[in-house]
Amino acid sequence: MADQGGIFEPRSPLIGEYLATVQPHSNNINLIRARVSFASLSGADPVAQRPPILLVKVRRGWNSSTAEIAKEFATFCSLDVRQEGPGHYLLATNEWKGARKILRTYKAHPVFRVEPYRYWSHSPTATSAFRVCCSVATASLLVFLLSRAG
């Protein structure tokens, strides 16, 4: 509203205006560090819209820490760093632009190798389980073939 001097005087929003604004977010739980931004209690959960987690492998012979890795990649975007194993670090960010820039910049880097994290090929648990399954399958096949030949 303007008075005679042309100065705008803001009015306080009505409660109905607040409720209309938050209505699309009712029955949702905000998830800060997850692949999805929220979980819905009254319907389907949203499709993941966050960038992939990046795996950083540090070349052997180079000592590194979580703090050093965070400092190295912090110039691109805000991110979280977790050590996955010796010389292996996971980077999580909520910015697609930053994740793409990191992948492009470190594509042919002599010390750091950066790639999207894939659970089935990078997780120590998954790769160990895969190796055990392959060993059992190979041993079973070998026993089967030996029993047929004898």
Side-chain angles (χ1 to χ4, degrees), residues 9-75:
E9 293 182 25
R11 67 167 179 81
S12 296
L14 302 173
I15 188 69
E17 293 171 325
Y18 281 122
L19 292 176
T21 302
V22 299
Q23 177 58 35
H25 306 286
S26 66
N27 291 324
N28 292 339
I29 299 173
N30 185 32
L31 302 173
I32 296 174
R33 295 175 186 225
R35 293 286 296 148
V36 294
S37 55
F38 66 89
S40 176
L41 299 176
S42 61
D45 289 335
V47 177
Q49 296 179 352
R50 297 207 175 146
I53 294 173
L54 302 177
L55 175 67
V56 176
K57 295 179 183 178
V58 181
R59 188 173 172 188
R60 288 184 188 209
W62 290 81
N63 293 330
S64 60
S65 68
T66 304
E68 291 170 348
I69 297 297
K71 185 177 178 183
E72 175 76 25
F73 292 96
T75 57

